[in-house]
């Protein structure tokens, strides 16, 4: 899931930049999503073919339909804008949000007094996009774990009423089994790398092309796994079974940089040594179907150490 800041510059020359040179102006000026998809393709290098345009009312109706969403609101939010009929009044902390409050959370950017998200979280638009990504993940978790099929038709009615797309809804149904099986904990998210700057008296967001390419490759083309350096330690004393573990990880796209033997251990342990992304350690655990994840001492040569314990033998037999 990649967020593209609304002020991302798409014009030719910053010296003559106007508000129409931002990506959020394209939909209005071009009367639809077709040109917008082209700009997204240019910015990301991804061949974007399909779009879903979702009315904000859909979020409110959907959240109410599934009985609300429990979400940890990151900060106190107080903002009033009568011109938009938008009134945001929320306290920080975990709480059950109905549709109206859900909209408040995802639309919040700053308070009436100008205060916003802390810098370490990401201020203004960057913070708002982070909150949106976290909320969408939480909403998706509830939807995919929702075991009441009695309201499926209601959800389809909401989609037909509030979603505009060039996807064939009949084709969408083919994706449902994959969606149900998808582990939201494996969802990788990021914001398009770049910096805000003032250009011709207009605030714009200048994307970093090289860094954007790296992020896109990691998110969508699975290059992140290949970059992770893994040390595999044999704590079961069985070379044949140990090789099975190594082969399984390789099939899933991981490179094993070194294999060694260690003293026998009953528990399989995954040690994150260089702050490897959480989704990577979780993915390894899912691949092995077992393992405790720990933080370990940093290393220049190894990102993750996996100590293969005797508890994995039963998993291999299964």
């Amino acid at each position: 899931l990649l967020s593209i800041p609304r002020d991302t510059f798409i014009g030719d020359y910053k010296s003559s930049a106007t508000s129409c040179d931002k990506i959020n102006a394209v939909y209005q000026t071009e009367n639809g999503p077709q040109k917008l998809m082209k700009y997204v393709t240019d910015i990301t290098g991804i061949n974007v073919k399909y779009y879903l345009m979702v009315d904000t009312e859909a979020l409110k109706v959907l959240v109410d339909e599934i009985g609300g969403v429990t979400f940890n609101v990151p900060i106190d939010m107080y903002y009033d804008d009568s011109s938009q009929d938008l009134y945001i009044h929320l306290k920080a902390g975990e709480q059950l949000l109905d549709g109206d409050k859900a909209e408040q959370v995802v639309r919040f950017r700053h308070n009436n007094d100008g205060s916003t998200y802390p810098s370490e979280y990401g201020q203004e638009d960057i913070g708002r996009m982070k909150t949106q990504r976290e909320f969408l993940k939480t909403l998706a978790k509830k939807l995919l774990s929702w075991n009441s099929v009695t309201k499926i038709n209601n959800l389809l009615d909401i989609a037909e009423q509030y979603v505009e797309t060039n996807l064939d809804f009949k084709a969408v149904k083919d994706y449902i089994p994959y969606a149900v099986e998808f582990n939201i904990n494996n969802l990788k998210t990021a914001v398009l790398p770049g910096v805000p700057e003032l250009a011709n008296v207009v605030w714009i967001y200048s994307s970093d092309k090289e860094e954007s390419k790296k992020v896109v490759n990691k998110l969508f083309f699975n290059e992140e796994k290949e970059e992770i350096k893994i040390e595999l330690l044999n704590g079961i004393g069985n070379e044949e079974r140990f090789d099975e573990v190594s082969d399984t990880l390789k099939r899933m796209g991981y490179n094993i940089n070194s294999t060694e033997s260690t003293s026998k251990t009953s528990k399989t342990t995954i040690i994150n040594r260089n702050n490897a992304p959480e989704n990577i350690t979780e993915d390894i655990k899912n691949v092995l179907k077992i393992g405790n994840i720990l933080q370990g001492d940093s290393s220049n040569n190894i990102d993750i150490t996996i100590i293969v314990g005797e508890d994995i033998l039963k998993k291999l037999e299964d």
Side-chain angles (χ1 to χ4, degrees), residues 85-136:
D85 194 26
L86 179 62
Y87 303 96
I88 301 173
H89 301 128
L90 293 169
K91 294 288 290 183
E94 188 171 276
Q95 55 199 280
L96 180 66
L97 303 177
D98 62 12
D100 181 64
K101 290 179 179 177
E103 183 190 23
Q104 293 179 41
V105 164
V106 299
R107 293 187 66 182
F108 174 83
R109 188 161 63 100
H110 60 74
N111 288 304
N112 290 325
D113 62 5
S115 61
T116 182
Y117 295 103
S119 56
E120 62 269 19
Y121 186 89
Q123 296 180 326
E124 296 280 349
D125 284 339
I126 302 300
R128 174 163 60 183
M129 287 186 292
K130 181 175 181 178
T131 299
Q132 289 171 349
R133 294 193 299 274
E134 291 302 314
F135 183 82
L136 286 174

Side-chain angles (χ1 to χ4, degrees), residues 91 147 196 212 250:
K91 294 288 290 183
N147 55 16
S212 295
K250 288 176 182 177

Side-chain angles (χ1 to χ4, degrees), residues 40-77:
V40 173
T41 294
D42 292 343
I43 290 169
T44 64
I46 299 170
N47 184 17
V48 180
K49 298 179 180 179
Y50 306 108
Y51 68 87
L52 288 99
M53 185 177 72
V54 185
D55 192 298
T56 53
E57 189 68 19
L59 176 69
K60 297 164 66 174
V61 175
L62 175 62
V63 170
D64 285 337
E65 184 67 33
I66 62 174
V69 174
T70 299
F71 184 69
N72 187 18
V73 178
I75 63 171
D76 290 346
M77 299 178 173

